[in-house]
Amino acid sequence: MPDSSRFAHRTLGTTNAGTANIGTMGVAPRPVLRHLLAPAALTLAALAGVAHRPWLTDHIAPFAGRMTAEGVVAVLAATAWLGAAWAGSRVIDVVMARSVRAVPIPRLLTDLLRAFLYGLAVLGILAFVLGQPVTGLLATSGVLIAVLGFALRNMIADIFSGIALNIEHPYRIGDWIELAPGLTGRVDEINWRATRLITLEGTALVVPNGLAAGSRIVNFSQPGTGFRATLTVTLDPEVPVARAKRILLSAIVCCDSIPAEPRPDVVVESVTLNGVTYQARFWVPDYAHLASGRDAVASAILEHLTRAGLEPARPKQELRRPRPAQPLQASEELGQALLSKVDLFAAFREDEVVELAAGMHVRHVPAGEAVVRQDELGTSLFLVAEGALDVRGAFGGRTILLDHMGPGDVFGEMSLLTGQPRSASVIANTDAVVYELDKEALDPVLRRRPELAARLADLMGLRQRRNDAHRRASTPATATPAATDHDLLARLRAFFKL
């Protein structure tokens, strides 16, 4: 019986020169004609011999006898039946090769069709060539069929389950499916008896079709390629729900590997003695990216919680009265902690950092609102405490997404130190909390220690060169020449009148 997979591969194969696929311009390519030519020629030649039976008999009988002549004619008739079945199987291969470009066809289906054709050919030979009563033959073989069916009942059940699976199509070749806990993989083959899966670990998993048909089938690849995944996080009940959702959502948004659309979200799953359990829900392109997506989201959530001064809830051993939250004290401590990690203020003493932190004020920015807009004047710097923000720039009449920012990121240093207009707009992707440090808070420190101006100019120049390199890598058309450290120092001194 011809091998359909090898035939499909040969007929669909293309060369580097771009060999046309089957059906191009309505003309079948030469490989298809070549594979149909042999069975067609054999069938026609055998039919021609059978049609000239009297002539063959008259010419063979004088030399080999009449019985031999009749045998030759019978062989030609059987060859015609088998040749027709062979040609029909090749036609099936051509049809499957045409459709395999859109949807892979299980091998079981083509095998069943070919078996049906050859079965008809055998019955035709028995009935019309050998003159045997087919109905009687089928009746007398009933006992044998019953014995074989009982002995091979499990295998027969798998075969008929495979037929049902191919009719209903709960999964196709290439789909990621889960048949039971621990039975998850990509469908590589559906044959007569079993479904072959390839797991994420690269191992083959052979599942009998009877088990697959009787299991709850979860198809991760239908109706579309992407699907939504979840990650649960439990936080202390003292954390306000709105703040918890803001922190968790911003962590997901800041993951570059997670698609922005459909938009991720965070919902409350349950409230227990250990705390409030949240579901971080996001989309992954396919099951193969599920583990890496969860890893990226979990890592980002832990980082954002740490920057916000929080941690996942721990199991409670005893009940205790909840302590009221102290948002003002926590806000001051968080602002000082964020400011102390900014490399721009690395040369400042601890007491000076505390003084600057005391001069900052908190801004709550709803999603979609602009913190700063491009080309507007400003004299302040911003530190992101919670949430995710998008950096967008207008260039050549179109707006470009330049970067994402999350907790710990800083923007607006050029406006704070030189009064330069904002170079880009910063829009809140989620609800966000930012700390604003204005020129009036920095001015007294610089007047007491003018030598800090040179250090600020050096660090500001370093940050500007790093930011410009990042923007050139992502959007080369937006790159602008960076100012020298000497120019920055002169502008800083003039702005603060030092």
Side-chain angles (χ1 to χ4, degrees):
M1 196 175 294
D3 188 342
S4 62
S5 61
R6 286 186 285 122
F7 175 77
H9 175 73
R10 289 195 299 267
T11 57
L12 286 177
T14 57
T15 64
N16 292 334
T19 304
N21 287 326
I22 296 174
T24 302
M25 301 298 292
V27 180
R30 291 182 179 179
V32 175
L33 294 177
R34 197 162 52 241
H35 282 85
L36 292 177
L37 182 61
L42 178 63
T43 304
L44 292 175
L47 287 174
V50 173
H52 294 79
R53 178 175 181 174
W55 183 87
L56 285 175
T57 303
D58 293 341
H59 284 75
I60 297 176
F63 302 98
R66 189 149 190 98
M67 184 175 295
T68 302
E70 293 293 337
V72 171
V73 173
V75 170
L76 289 176
T79 302
W81 279 98
L82 293 176
W86 185 17
S89 67
R90 284 295 175 88
V91 171
I92 293 173
D93 291 335
V94 172
V95 174
M96 294 304 172
R98 286 175 179 269
S99 60
V100 75
R101 292 173 293 178
V103 179
I105 303 298
R107 196 181 71 184
L108 175 60
L109 180 58
T110 59
D111 289 346
L112 286 173
L113 292 175
R114 278 194 294 270
F116 177 74
L117 290 177
Y118 281 98
L120 287 180
V122 171
L123 291 177
I125 293 172
L126 291 174
F128 299 103
V129 177
L130 301 180
Q132 298 295 322
V134 178
T135 55
L137 180 63
L138 293 177
T140 56
S141 62
V143 176
L144 179 61
I145 293 175
V147 172
L148 290 176
F150 181 78
L152 303 175
R153 60 187 182 279
N154 292 332
M155 183 177 296
I156 294 174
D158 291 337
I159 292 174
F160 279 95
S161 296
I163 296 174
L165 290 173
N166 280 275
I167 294 175
E168 296 178 1
H169 290 301
Y171 53 81
R172 301 175 184 271
I173 294 176
D175 287 354
W176 285 93
I177 63 172
E178 180 185 68
L179 300 178
L183 297 180
T184 304
R186 177 175 51 82
V187 180
D188 184 62
E189 182 184 5
I190 307 172
N191 56 39
W192 285 88
R193 183 178 176 274
T195 297
R196 185 171 181 264
L197 306 178
I198 303 298
T199 66
L200 286 174
E201 292 75 21
T203 58
L205 190 63
V206 179
V207 182
N209 288 331
L211 177 61
S215 302
R216 177 184 62 91
I217 301 174
V218 179
N219 194 325
F220 296 101
S221 301
Q222 294 183 11
T225 55
F227 65 95
R228 186 166 64 185
T230 61
L231 190 69
T232 58
V233 181
T234 302
L235 300 177
D236 286 330
E238 289 85 354
V239 181
V241 173
R243 186 188 182 202
K245 287 185 175 181
R246 179 172 62 237
I247 294 172
L248 297 178
L249 180 58
S250 66
I252 305 174
V253 171
C254 289
C255 290
D256 295 332
S257 59
I258 302 302
E261 294 294 337
R263 186 169 176 81
D265 61 359
V266 178
V267 298
V268 175
E269 182 185 57
S270 61
V271 180
T272 65
L273 294 177
N274 291 329
V276 181
T277 300
Y278 299 87
Q279 269 194 358
R281 308 190 299 183
F282 54 94
W283 290 76
V284 292
D286 56 56
Y287 186 84
H289 294 82
L290 177 59
S292 59
R294 282 179 171 169
D295 174 72
V297 171
S299 301
I301 286 176
L302 290 175
E303 180 183 355
H304 281 230
L305 288 175
T306 301
R307 291 184 179 275
L310 302 174
E311 62 180 10
R314 300 179 182 181
K316 305 296 189 298
Q317 300 298 327
E318 59 182 10
L319 295 176
R320 59 183 176 85
R321 295 182 60 187
R323 295 174 298 177
Q326 301 176 358
L328 182 59
Q329 181 181 358
S331 175
E332 293 175 354
E333 293 176 355
L334 179 58
Q336 182 179 338
L338 290 172
L339 194 61
S340 63
K341 295 178 182 178
V342 178
D343 55 0
L344 192 63
F345 300 101
F348 285 63
R349 296 194 300 261
E350 184 178 355
D351 60 318
E352 294 170 339
V353 173
V354 173
E355 181 180 351
L356 292 177
M360 294 193 303
H361 59 276
V362 183
R363 283 184 55 182
H364 293 266
V365 187
E369 184 175 309
V371 183
V372 298
R373 294 196 178 276
Q374 187 174 357
D375 297 328
E376 72 177 4
L377 297 177
T379 60
S380 58
L381 167 146
F382 296 90
L383 292 90
V384 183
E386 298 174 6
L389 301 99
D390 295 335
V391 183
R392 299 183 179 274
F395 304 95
R398 62 192 185 100
T399 302
I400 301 174
L401 177 63
L402 300 176
D403 202 359
H404 294 291
M405 290 192 297
D409 289 331
V410 181
F411 62 95
E413 63 270 18
M414 292 296 292
S415 296
L416 169 68
L417 299 177
T418 66
Q420 175 178 311
R422 308 293 185 184
S423 59
S425 299
V426 179
I427 313 296
N429 189 301
T430 67
D431 292 346
V433 177
V434 298
Y435 286 82
E436 185 175 9
L437 176 64
D438 199 79
K439 173 188 175 184
E440 282 71 18
L442 181 60
D443 185 73
V445 179
L446 289 182
R447 291 193 178 278
R448 290 196 303 269
R449 294 182 63 199
E451 65 274 13
L452 287 174
R455 180 59 175 164
L456 280 174
D458 293 339
L459 292 173
M460 185 167 56
L462 180 63
R463 286 176 58 85
Q464 187 180 27
R465 287 190 291 272
R466 186 169 63 244
N467 293 339
D468 288 344
H470 173 72
R471 292 185 181 182
R472 278 195 299 270
S474 57
T475 51
T478 65
T480 55
T484 64
D485 294 351
H486 183 270
D487 292 338
L488 291 174
L489 178 59
R491 290 161 60 183
L492 190 153
R493 286 175 173 171
F495 186 59
F496 282 89
K497 300 179 181 179
L498 299 178

